[in-house]
């Protein structure tokens, strides 16, 4: 999201927002009259957590892509309504920005917020590179599983399940232990892995052009790669499946050789 925000900023910052066309009713999360937002200069497009933040000199527009959201940079601007279209932002003398949804649960959304209204940003935790989160990793007593903690946006904003898998693999930390069970060395490895994995991810994403494509293969080291050899030791990567996500890990690198039951498979067997 950081690299995407940077690209969009390069396309539209300094230009006037001249149109906002909702293309999927349920995606608009604020029942706001959009007219006062039009004709304003887009000062910048930034990021907070997993939200794109289009700043309009007081008011702002947020976009959250969730898991299946994608972005097209339309140059020249278009007026069509493709499948999965969520909202189109028309910008004077610049490309239009189309948000699309490829997920089946229709979770991508956008917010039009008046000046001073933080909207969903108010509930976010600190950024991963901030001192507050570093102190939590070094001194905190969070009793939840570390993977759960990393993908909780109220605890730390912007990591999520995919980079959570990769961070824990890089740190050689089990996803299934709590922060309280980690010794100082493991906590340092975890903090270093957060910085390294996210920095590498941003640099890789900066090589893209345009918006965010439909296919996003190649982003992760271990997430989504269960059944493949571990890139560090060669052992087969395992997973534990939950209702809405899965955790991928290496038994040798992270769990002392232990393989946890895959809940999805266990339900089928029963």
């Amino acid at each position: 999201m950081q690299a995407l925000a940077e690209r969009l900023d390069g396309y539209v910052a300094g230009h006037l927002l001249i149109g906002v066309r909702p293309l999927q009713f349920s995606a608009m999360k604020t029942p706001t009259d959009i007219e006062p937002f039009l004709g304003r200069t887009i000062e910048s497009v930034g990021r907070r957590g997993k939200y794109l933040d289009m700043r309009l000199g007081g008011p702002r527009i947020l976009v959250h892509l969730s898991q299946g959201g994608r972005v097209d940079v339309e140059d020249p601007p278009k007026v069509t309504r493709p499948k999965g279209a969520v909202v189109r932002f028309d910008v004077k003398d610049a490309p239009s920005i189309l948000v699309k949804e490829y997920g089946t649960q229709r979770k991508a959304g956008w917010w039009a917020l008046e000046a001073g209204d933080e909207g969903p940003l108010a509930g976010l935790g600190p950024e991963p590179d901030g001192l507050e989160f570093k102190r939590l990793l070094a001194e905190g007593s969070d009793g939840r599983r570390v993977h759960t903690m990393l993908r909780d946006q109220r605890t730390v904003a912007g990591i999520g399940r995919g980079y959570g898998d990769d961070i824990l693999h890089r740190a050689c930390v089990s996803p299934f232990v709590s922060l309280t069970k980690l010794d100082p060395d493991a906590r340092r490895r975890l903090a270093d892995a957060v910085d390294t994995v996210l920095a590498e991810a941003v640099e890789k994403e900066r090589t893209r052009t345009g918006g965010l494509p439909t296919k996003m293969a190649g982003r992760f080291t271990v997430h989504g790669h269960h059944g493949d050899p571990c890139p560090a030791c060669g052992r087969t990567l395992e997973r534990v499946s939950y209702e809405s996500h899965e955790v991928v890990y290496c038994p040798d690198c992270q769990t002392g050789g232990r393989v946890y039951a895959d809940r999805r498979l266990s339900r089928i067997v029963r």
Side-chain angles (χ1 to χ4, degrees):
M1 294 303 291
Q2 176 63 37
L4 175 61
E6 292 172 4
R7 293 197 298 275
L8 296 181
D9 184 78
Y11 285 115
V12 302
H15 295 268
L16 298 181
L17 180 68
I18 57 174
V20 178
R21 287 182 273 172
L23 301 172
Q24 183 190 118
F25 176 77
S26 62
M28 185 175 182
K29 306 303 182 181
T30 46
T32 305
D33 179 10
I34 205 66
E35 287 298 323
F37 291 74
L38 303 183
R40 288 182 170 270
T41 299
I42 301 172
E43 294 186 346
S44 64
V45 179
R47 176 201 61 83
R48 174 72 170 100
K50 295 184 178 184
Y51 293 85
L52 294 172
D53 185 0
M54 184 186 296
R55 298 159 187 151
L56 301 167
R60 68 207 313 178
I61 292 176
L62 305 179
V63 175
H64 195 292
L65 299 179
S66 192
Q67 190 171 2
R70 297 293 184 265
V71 174
D72 284 351
V73 175
E74 301 177 324
D75 190 10
K78 298 180 181 179
V79 295
T80 58
R81 182 174 181 170
K83 183 178 179 180
V86 171
V87 61
R88 178 178 279 116
F89 301 103
D90 295 315
V91 184
K92 187 175 182 180
D93 299 325
S96 57
I97 306 299
L98 175 68
V99 179
K100 301 181 294 184
E101 168 69 79
Y102 284 89
T104 58
Q105 299 183 23
R106 302 293 185 187
K107 289 186 175 181
W110 61 284
W111 291 253
L113 303 175
E114 302 288 352
D117 185 357
E118 290 290 301
L121 302 186
L124 293 181
E127 292 291 316
D129 59 353
L131 291 177
E132 183 180 347
F133 183 59
K134 300 301 184 188
R135 283 196 295 268
L136 172 63
L137 293 182
E139 307 168 3
S141 57
D142 197 307
R144 295 172 295 170
R145 291 177 172 181
V146 183
H147 193 278
T148 301
M149 184 190 76
L150 290 179
R151 61 187 178 84
D152 182 355
Q153 300 301 298
R154 298 166 298 181
T155 302
V156 55
I159 293 181
R161 64 194 70 168
Y163 289 116
D165 281 353
D166 282 10
I167 287 166
L168 291 168
H169 178 265
R170 181 74 63 92
C172 297
V173 169
S174 170
F176 310 110
V177 301
S178 68
L179 187 64
T180 57
K181 300 294 185 181
L182 299 183
D183 61 27
D185 181 60
R187 288 175 181 245
R188 282 192 294 271
R189 294 200 312 271
L190 181 56
D192 289 344
V194 169
D195 290 341
T196 303
V197 169
L198 295 183
E200 290 175 355
V202 170
E203 287 307 308
K204 186 174 183 179
E205 288 296 316
R206 281 175 176 155
T207 65
R208 295 188 191 275
T209 58
L212 201 64
T214 304
K215 295 183 179 181
M216 297 288 291
R219 283 192 299 167
F220 302 116
T221 302
V222 298
H223 179 71
H225 290 281
H226 72 276
D228 293 344
C230 170
C233 73
R235 178 160 177 178
T236 300
L237 295 170
E238 303 287 348
R239 71 175 176 182
V240 175
S241 302
Y242 297 92
E243 185 75 22
S244 61
H245 71 284
E246 65 181 29
V247 176
V248 178
Y249 65 98
C250 173
D252 282 357
C253 294
Q254 295 175 261
T255 62
R258 180 176 178 182
V259 176
Y260 290 79
D262 187 336
R263 298 185 177 189
R264 184 178 301 171
L265 181 60
S266 298
R267 289 196 296 270
I268 295 172
V269 171
R270 281 201 299 269

